[in-house]
Amino acid sequence: DADVTQTPRNRITKTGKRIMLECSQTKGHDRMYWYRQDPGLGLRLIYYSFDVKDINKGEISDGYSVSRQAQAKFSLSLESAIPNQTALYFCATSDTRDTTYNEQFFGPGTRLTVL
Amino acid sequence: QKEVEQDPGPLSVPEGAIVSLNCTYSNSAFQYFMWYRQYSRKGPELLMYTYSSGNKEDGRFTAQVDKSSKYISLFIRDSQPSDSATYLCAMSTMNSGYSTLTFGKGTMLLVSP
């Protein structure tokens, strides 16, 4: 089984709809991240959480919110989806005991299309 | 200017060629330098990391860091079709006791048989 799972893997929605992307991990890591990837723009950090009670905004948090329900679960919500939120979304995890280069482990991604 | 610059490619080479992938950066606080490889329809995976200036070799792959020039490179020798992927450089800095990663845009590499 995959260590970092994301659901759904693909989603098509309409402008104005609320949508939630979910991430679960079995790696036992305490740090979790949400990124979006766009052609020509690379990976950009949306939100990150270093433990259940810690939530931090990343580079592009406007229009998004997150919830850390448990150490193993981190959800990303789009309260009112808009077309420019069409992108590939990745969840990642890392271990706080790694105090060096902070290796991150990525899920398989969710392809979101907002019409 | 973005903190990390990386040519998106695509870079097309024949099998067996030596490949050079590069990134430049502007933030002198970056301490760790990584290369992630991302296959189509997959999440990125760590390929190599380096800390100080100099070279680090792992099989056909060599990572090189020049902190004085703020320039990092990944060399692939004897490239194989299975090396076809997007390569993302990433850099780590300590921020209030925590570290986050800043990624380059990624370079798409195509190795033809």
Side-chain angles (χ1 to χ4, degrees):
Chain A
D1 289 340
D3 294 320
V4 184
T5 57
Q6 293 183 234
T7 56
R9 293 295 311 279
N10 292 280
R11 181 70 182 268
I12 299 174
T13 191
K14 295 182 178 180
T15 297
K17 293 291 187 180
R18 184 181 188 276
I19 185 167
M20 179 181 287
L21 308 183
E22 298 186 338
C23 177
S24 294
Q25 53 109 351
T26 59
K27 300 186 74 66
H29 290 170
D30 50 351
R31 300 180 181 184
M32 298 187 74
Y33 310 81
W34 275 105
Y35 292 89
R36 65 178 280 176
Q37 188 174 41
D38 300 271
L41 295 177
L43 274 170
R44 293 181 291 168
L45 184 62
I46 305 172
Y47 271 96
Y48 60 103
S49 169
F50 286 136
D51 63 45
V52 174
K53 296 181 180 180
D54 176 77
I55 302 289
N56 303 280
K57 292 182 177 180
E59 179 186 354
I60 52 161
S61 59
D62 287 349
Y64 301 94
S65 62
V66 292
S67 173
R68 185 82 183 265
Q69 300 96 325
Q71 186 184 38
K73 295 184 181 295
F74 193 34
S75 300
L76 177 71
S77 293
L78 289 68
E79 296 301 326
S80 179
I82 56 176
N84 77 359
Q85 292 178 314
T86 294
L88 188 55
Y89 289 84
F90 287 102
C91 174
T93 73
S94 68
D95 190 343
T96 192
R97 290 167 295 181
D98 175 5
T99 58
T100 58
Y101 57 92
N102 187 30
E103 179 179 0
Q104 293 184 13
F105 297 83
F106 286 80
T110 294
R111 185 168 296 281
L112 176 65
T113 302
V114 183
L115 301 177
Chain B
Q1 180 190 9
K2 284 188 68 67
E3 282 191 304
V4 180
E5 299 281 358
Q6 183 176 11
D7 187 333
L11 177 62
S12 295
V13 301
E15 183 175 356
I18 297 174
V19 175
S20 174
L21 304 168
N22 311 294
C23 289
T24 59
Y25 64 95
S26 58
N27 187 348
S28 58
F30 287 134
Q31 299 176 318
Y32 295 93
F33 304 90
M34 288 142 279
W35 288 95
Y36 280 76
R37 179 172 61 193
Q38 183 178 18
Y39 290 114
S40 181
R41 300 180 182 276
K42 301 285 187 181
E45 292 181 310
L46 182 66
L47 181 63
M48 292 186 71
Y49 78 93
T50 53
Y51 172 63
S52 60
S53 288
N55 294 352
K56 182 176 182 179
E57 189 173 319
D58 184 1
R60 296 185 294 110
F61 299 88
T62 299
Q64 188 174 79
V65 174
D66 182 348
K67 284 189 174 180
S68 62
S69 301
K70 296 188 175 66
Y71 188 90
I72 71 169
S73 300
L74 178 70
F75 299 97
I76 307 174
R77 293 184 300 279
D78 187 25
S79 57
Q80 302 296 309
S82 58
D83 295 328
S84 296
T86 296
Y87 291 80
L88 302 100
C89 62
M91 305 182 188
S92 176
T93 182
M94 298 301 291
N95 181 17
S96 299
Y98 302 107
S99 60
T100 59
L101 292 182
T102 301
F103 285 87
K105 294 179 181 180
T107 299
M108 181 182 293
L109 172 66
L110 304 171
V111 181
S112 54

